[in-house]
């Protein structure tokens, strides 16, 4: 199996897959390869918070010419996956440091090769393609072709709760990965002072409630009954529903200066089923405060994508820096493409990590506060 992810977050996805109980085969830029069966297709789609999608690896082969690409594709056992009425196409082709680099040509040659193979197997000359969908994704690196069958459909970041979005929303799987890069857990306070459509607080609340991110959506491979039995899906869904705990106590808050964004956040949290676990309110960053210690600010502040917003950034980040300084023992984690982040916050980050948000290079700035004192267990003496 192949699970693609955002560049820079491979280690987070690797940990997730390992915790699901599957063996990691290889970690590459922007993808993690692991071993799994039919149940793993269901569980990976349902539970992985940081992956883009889940692919079944159909095969790998070398190809430096279109003839080699054609023959290599034709050799693969397509009849094991695609039924005679299946709709199949190469949905995406990407190439890095390879002789073949035109996506449209790669897509066209591979489609012809699959048709030729299936003609021989099914003894038909015309494919109606009226059945279920079988999109393929192809990645060529240094003339090695890797072919994956997409079991997911719409990208996994589309959880199904976010019908309404902010101007520059952060993808749900990226938000989840960034939270997982921090030491935050459900017993700790989390505040997002630029909550937009509520993605950080909602993803945190879903983690706190042990809610699988794929519970409110469908997956393409649910219709592939010749490969995965409906019972497999039913069992995995039942297990995921049983694990949800909405009775958990949380202190998760989202603030935004815009009333309409606060309303959108509330609606999205309701759709996700976690509205009880989050407090949203209209509050400008200049009024950011909290009476308790050891909390977390986790946020995606404006980067100034639009020219007219750029002038406001220094003051905005300075205000954020001042408010953070006033929060006793707190940690702050923020993703930004704004070059003056550390300068205007007034402090160099303890760590920062380069992460690609789509094609945009951003940095995840990490300001780490002290750990809270360990709670004494019942029966432990004060000495």
């Amino acid at each position: 199996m192949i699970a693609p992810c955002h560049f820079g977050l491979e280690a987070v996805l690797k940990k997730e897959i390992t915790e699901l109980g599957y063996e990691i085969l290889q970690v590459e830029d922007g993808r993690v390869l692991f071993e799994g069966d039919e149940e793993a297709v269901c569980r990976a789609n349902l539970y992985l918070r940081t992956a883009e999608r889940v692919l079944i690896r159909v095969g790998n082969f070398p190809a430096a010419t279109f003839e080699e690409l054609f023959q290599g594709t034709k050799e693969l056992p397509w009849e094991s996956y695609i039924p005679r009425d299946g709709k199949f196409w190469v949905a995406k082709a990407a190439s890095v440091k390879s002789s073949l680099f035109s996506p449209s040509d790669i897509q066209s040659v591979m489609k012809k090769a699959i048709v030729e193979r299936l003609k021989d197997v099914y003894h038909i000359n015309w494919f109606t393609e009226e059945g279920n969908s079988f999109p393929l994704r192809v990645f060529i690196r240094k003339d090695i072709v890797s072919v994956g069958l997409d079991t997911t459909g719409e990208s996994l970041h589309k959880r199904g709760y976010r019908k309404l979005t902010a101007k520059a929303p952060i993808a749900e799987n990226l938000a989840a990965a960034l939270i997982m890069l921090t030491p935050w857990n459900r017993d700790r306070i989390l505040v997002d002072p630029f909550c937009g459509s509520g993605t950080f607080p909602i993803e945190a609340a879903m983690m706190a409630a042990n809610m699988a991110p794929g519970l409110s959506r469908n997956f393409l491979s649910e219709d592939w009954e010749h490969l995965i039995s409906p019972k497999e899906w039913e069992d995995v869904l039942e297990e995921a529903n049983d694990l949800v705990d909405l009775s958990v106590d949380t202190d998760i808050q989202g603030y935004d200066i815009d009333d309409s964004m606060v309303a959108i956040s509330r609606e999205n949290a309701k759709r996700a089923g976690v509205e009880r676990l989050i407090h949203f309110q209209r509050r400008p960053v200049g009024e950011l405060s909290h009476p308790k210690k050891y909390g977390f600010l986790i946020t995606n502040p404006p980067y100034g994508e639009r020219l007219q917003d750029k002038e406001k950034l220094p003051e905005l980040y300075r205000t954020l820096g001042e408010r953070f300084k006033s929060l006793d023992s707190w940690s702050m984690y923020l993703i930004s493409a704004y070059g003056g982040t550390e300068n205007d916050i007034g402090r160099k980050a303890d760590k920062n990590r380069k992460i690609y948000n789509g094609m945009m290079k951003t940095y995840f700035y990490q300001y780490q506060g002290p750990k809270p004192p360990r709670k004494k267990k019942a029966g432990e003496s004060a000495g």
Side-chain angles (χ1 to χ4, degrees):
M1 314 253 262
I2 306 165
C5 64
H6 283 83
F7 282 98
L9 296 173
E10 299 84 0
V12 189
L13 177 55
K14 178 186 173 184
K15 184 169 184 276
E16 269 202 287
I17 293 167
T18 304
E19 285 173 356
L20 271 184
Y22 302 114
E23 187 188 341
I24 303 293
L25 299 175
Q26 204 173 332
V27 179
E28 300 173 356
D29 285 347
R31 42 205 265 140
V32 180
L33 283 71
F34 65 103
E35 196 152 344
D37 54 10
E38 292 84 352
E39 185 191 53
V41 172
C42 310
R43 295 184 74 234
N45 272 302
L46 204 63
Y47 286 109
L48 291 179
R49 296 184 191 279
T50 63
E52 290 282 326
R53 54 188 69 248
V54 178
L55 312 173
I56 295 170
R57 188 166 77 167
V58 180
N60 274 26
F61 58 87
T65 67
F66 283 117
E67 179 58 25
E68 287 172 348
L69 179 67
F70 183 91
Q71 295 303 338
T73 304
K74 194 178 170 188
E75 289 282 301
L76 297 174
W78 294 107
E79 64 280 4
S80 301
Y81 304 99
I82 302 170
R84 67 167 56 218
D85 67 342
K87 182 183 178 187
F88 56 96
W89 71 102
V90 179
K92 187 176 182 189
S95 173
V96 176
K97 297 177 183 169
S98 298
S99 310
L100 303 175
F101 54 82
S102 159
S104 58
D105 289 338
I106 291 164
Q107 288 165 304
S108 162
V109 166
M110 292 186 74
K111 169 81 180 193
K112 281 180 191 150
I114 300 167
V115 166
E116 285 307 309
R117 167 91 183 198
L118 293 181
K119 267 187 186 177
D120 293 345
V121 173
Y122 293 131
H123 307 296
I124 51 175
N125 285 319
W126 179 255
F127 292 89
T128 60
E129 299 200 40
E130 291 171 343
N132 293 320
S133 293
F134 296 85
L136 305 162
R137 299 178 87 87
V138 178
F139 182 62
I140 308 179
R141 183 182 173 83
K142 295 182 179 172
D143 295 334
I144 300 294
V145 182
S146 178
V147 189
L149 176 62
D150 180 11
T151 71
T152 303
E154 264 200 316
S155 170
L156 286 176
H157 80 269
K158 298 200 170 170
R159 318 287 205 218
Y161 66 74
R162 199 168 74 178
K163 295 294 183 227
L164 304 157
T165 62
K167 275 188 307 230
I170 189 164
E172 294 88 327
N173 57 347
L174 177 55
L178 296 179
I179 295 168
M180 289 159 86
L181 280 172
T182 78
W184 179 81
N185 63 56
R186 66 189 193 176
D187 300 326
R188 308 279 294 272
I189 303 156
L190 187 153
V191 174
D192 180 356
F194 302 97
C195 75
S197 48
T199 311
F200 273 122
I202 292 169
E203 289 295 319
M206 288 170 77
M207 288 179 200
N210 208 13
M211 183 183 286
L215 267 179
S216 300
R217 57 159 289 167
N218 297 107
F219 306 99
L220 205 55
S221 49
E222 284 180 75
D223 296 328
W224 299 354
E225 293 187 17
H226 64 300
L227 291 177
I228 304 166
S229 80
K231 178 84 169 70
E232 202 81 73
W233 281 106
E234 280 167 32
D235 290 349
V236 170
L237 275 163
E238 190 180 339
E239 174 197 54
N241 276 306
D242 287 347
L243 289 171
V244 177
D245 176 14
L246 289 168
S247 67
V248 63
D249 283 327
T250 56
D251 189 343
I252 299 171
Q253 301 179 36
Y255 306 145
D256 203 280
I257 196 168
D258 184 342
D259 274 322
S260 65
M261 291 291 28
V262 174
I264 283 171
S265 292
R266 286 193 183 122
E267 181 58 32
N268 288 340
K270 192 174 176 183
R271 295 182 76 95
V274 292
E275 72 272 27
R276 194 194 71 75
L277 303 180
I278 311 170
H279 173 67
F280 288 110
Q281 72 175 95
R282 185 192 172 279
R283 186 189 284 200
V285 68
E287 292 173 20
L288 175 62
S289 64
H290 200 288
K292 292 183 180 168
K293 290 182 165 193
Y294 305 110
F296 286 78
L297 294 178
I298 304 180
T299 192
N300 173 38
Y303 311 161
E305 297 86 5
R306 299 183 311 178
L307 210 56
Q308 64 266 39
D309 296 340
K310 268 198 163 49
E311 300 149 20
K312 302 174 188 169
L313 289 184
E315 187 191 345
L316 186 77
Y317 280 73
R318 271 200 296 276
T319 306
L320 177 61
E322 285 159 12
R323 298 319 305 148
F324 171 53
K325 197 174 176 184
S326 73
L327 289 163
D328 186 18
S329 311
W330 278 51
S331 303
M332 177 165 71
Y333 295 82
L334 62 115
I335 183 172
S336 182
Y338 171 50
T341 295
E342 290 173 306
N343 186 54
D344 292 334
I345 279 173
R347 182 179 144 193
K348 196 165 165 32
D350 299 308
K351 282 185 185 173
N352 84 30
R353 187 180 188 124
K354 189 179 4 176
I355 287 164
Y356 280 87
N357 184 0
M359 297 309 290
M360 188 191 292
K361 184 169 74 173
T362 62
Y363 288 91
F364 189 46
Y365 296 94
Q366 304 169 52
Y367 295 88
Q368 296 161 332
K371 286 182 182 174
R374 193 169 67 88
K375 286 179 183 164
K376 289 194 176 64
K377 291 180 184 151
E380 272 188 357
S381 67

